Structures are given as structure tokens and as C-alpha cells.
Amino acid sequence: MRTLFLVGAAALALTGCSSAPVAAPGFWDAHTVQGSMPEEPETVEDLASQSQLVVLGTIGGVTEGKEYTDPGKPAHRTSNVGINVEKSSKAGVSQAVVEFSRSPETALSDVATSLPKGRYVFYLQHWYDGPDGPVYGCTSVAMCVVGVDGGTFATPRDPHLAEDMRAEGRVPVKNQAPSPDGLTVEQIFTSSAASVPAS
């Protein structure tokens, strides 16, 4: 198993120094996971059973999050990512804000113009109450966001995790019905939402 080193509430990306201009990172590159948690859930149903909220939706925007400081370590910032919710495991949820760690060298403006266009399932825990409502954190760092790429399970915050699961022959969705077109985000959400504990 790979090991993830967390700094406070966020993973800190390590970068090299270069005198050449560097292109702004893509959204997921700026909010990626460095490594993986020692014990990622085996399936999305396992992950959902540890979550307070599971939503299916698209990323609608991003604002500046908090700055975290840990003694003896550099300060790091987060992004508050706005989710336009299509379906939710909890009734009445049409919007959700999720806090993602952001690589220290990336400004908010660098990622605000490169929002992903896909539909994703998010696995969330209440983190803190913001001025406009709850702000959620990730139940799992690497599997907080899952999607489908060409009918195949994808983990955009940690692409290597989905690759490892395929290489190991792991089935990330227990209730995946055979389909000639492969997996869909609706299948992932439906199976996950049924596994969220009643609140």
C-alpha cells in the first residue's frame, strides 16, 4: 500500500524549482492527492457507508478556502468547490460546497478558469459551517470524487488509484450490472446512496 502524508486537513504537494515559466496546472492537477491513504475503502458502497452525504453533480465554481498553518510547516490554502447537485442521498440538497487542498504554488485564479466539465459522485462529511451553509470535507482523500471515463471507474484526484484497482482486478462498485457500455455515474450514485447511513 502507498502512504499519504497529510499536513493538517490537506495533502501538501512537493514541487521542484525551475527558472522557466510554468503553465498553470489543470483543476485536478492543482487539487490532486500526493500518494494514497493507507487503507482506501474497497468499494464505493464501503465508502458511502462512512459518509454523511453522497451527491451526484457537476462543479459549478470555486472560491478561496481557508489557510491552514501547522507548527514548523509552511502554510497552505484550500479551495471551496461549489457542486451543482443533480441527485443527493439526503432530500433537499441542491448545492454543496467541498473543501479541497490546493497545491501551494497555485493561485485560485489559475484553477477558476479550468473547471472540469464532467459529472461526478462526491463522498462527503460535514467539515465546518460557513457563512452560506455547511462546508464539506472528503470522506476519503483519494476517492472523495469518482467518475466514469469511457465506461471505466475513474478517481480524478488520484488517477493512480483507479489504475491500481484495475490492475488488481478489484471491482469498485459491488452492484454494477453488466452493460455493453460499461459503468455509468448513475449506477455509482444509486448504489452509493443506498449505502449511506440514515441520519
Side-chain angles (χ1 to χ4, degrees):
M1 287 285 183
R2 294 169 295 155
T3 303
L4 172 68
F5 297 94
L6 291 179
V7 182
L12 190 62
L14 301 177
T15 58
C17 297
S18 172
S19 57
V22 178
F27 184 88
W28 292 124
D29 292 332
H31 298 101
T32 193
V33 174
Q34 301 302 308
S36 180
M37 292 180 70
E39 293 298 332
E40 287 292 347
E42 287 292 316
T43 66
V44 295
E45 291 88 353
D46 293 339
L47 179 56
S49 72
Q50 302 169 33
S51 302
Q52 293 175 328
L53 180 69
V54 173
V55 299
L56 167 62
T58 57
I59 294 176
V62 60
T63 58
E64 196 68 76
K66 289 186 173 184
E67 180 176 76
Y68 290 92
T69 55
D70 293 314
K73 298 176 182 175
H76 52 282
R77 294 210 66 91
T78 62
S79 300
N80 282 352
V81 178
I83 309 303
N84 296 323
V85 176
E86 295 177 31
K87 297 180 180 181
S88 170
S89 62
K90 183 183 296 185
V93 178
S94 61
Q95 299 284 325
V97 176
V98 186
E99 182 184 81
F100 288 153
S101 59
R102 190 172 75 234
S103 57
E105 72 280 5
T106 305
L108 181 70
S109 58
D110 291 336
V111 297
T113 57
S114 62
L115 299 179
K117 303 300 184 188
R119 299 167 71 217
Y120 303 97
V121 180
F122 299 82
Y123 299 82
L124 307 173
Q125 295 278 356
H126 181 268
W127 181 236
Y128 65 88
D129 289 317
D132 300 316
V135 175
Y136 294 93
C138 294
T139 303
S140 155
V141 178
M143 284 177 66
C144 178
V145 184
V146 302
V148 172
D149 183 4
T152 303
F153 184 79
T155 50
R157 289 196 76 201
D158 183 2
H160 299 297
L161 177 60
E163 292 168 7
D164 289 348
M165 294 173 87
R166 283 191 290 276
E168 295 167 8
R170 292 164 58 188
V171 178
V173 184
K174 287 180 189 173
N175 299 324
Q176 178 183 351
S179 167
D181 298 323
L183 187 65
T184 68
V185 288
E186 286 85 358
Q187 284 177 313
I188 295 173
F189 171 79
T190 299
S191 190
S192 298
S195 300
V196 177
S199 56

